Amino acid sequence: MIYFLVVSNILTFIVFGVDKWYAKKSKRRVSELFLLSLTFLGGTLGALLAMMIFRHKTSKKSFILKLLIVIFVQLIIFGIMKNSKINFNIF
């Protein structure tokens, strides 16, 4: 599980950085849905770090709201998994 999270966060960080670079070069952008999907699938820390380091998407309130919803859903899922008697250790 830890390897999956490390790879997910590194990948998410890189994709956020590439999207910022595309924005500066006025090239076709990475979709917000893709950025949020990567975040949901384990790249939360990578997304937050990239937003701070690259100053990317930090002024877009709609994106920040969606990101907070993703994090909230992750916390709910984590809480359900933690309190469940079912073993969710799939990695």
Side-chain angles (χ1 to χ4, degrees):
M1 180 71 147
I2 191 74
Y3 297 116
F4 173 78
L5 290 174
V6 168
V7 170
S8 295
N9 281 289
I10 291 170
L11 177 65
T12 303
F13 182 85
I14 290 169
V15 172
F16 268 75
V18 167
D19 187 47
K20 178 66 175 190
W21 184 75
Y22 284 168
K24 286 183 176 182
K25 299 288 183 184
S26 298
K27 293 188 175 200
R28 184 180 166 114
R29 305 283 302 279
V30 176
S31 74
E32 282 190 4
L33 178 61
F34 188 69
L35 294 173
L36 291 168
S37 297
L38 287 174
T39 303
F40 180 75
L41 294 173
T44 306
L45 292 176
L48 294 172
L49 279 174
M51 288 176 70
M52 289 187 303
I53 291 171
F54 301 128
R55 295 184 185 183
H56 188 48
K57 300 280 189 189
T58 55
S59 63
K60 193 166 183 188
K61 292 187 189 319
S62 65
F63 183 82
I64 292 173
L65 177 63
K66 293 171 193 172
L67 183 70
L68 290 173
I69 291 169
V70 165
I71 293 170
F72 183 70
V73 170
Q74 286 176 324
L75 290 172
I76 291 172
I77 291 170
F78 179 73
I80 290 170
M81 290 172 63
K82 186 173 183 202
N83 293 324
S84 175
K85 295 183 188 229
I86 301 170
N87 184 3
F88 286 99
N89 190 7
I90 59 174
F91 295 102

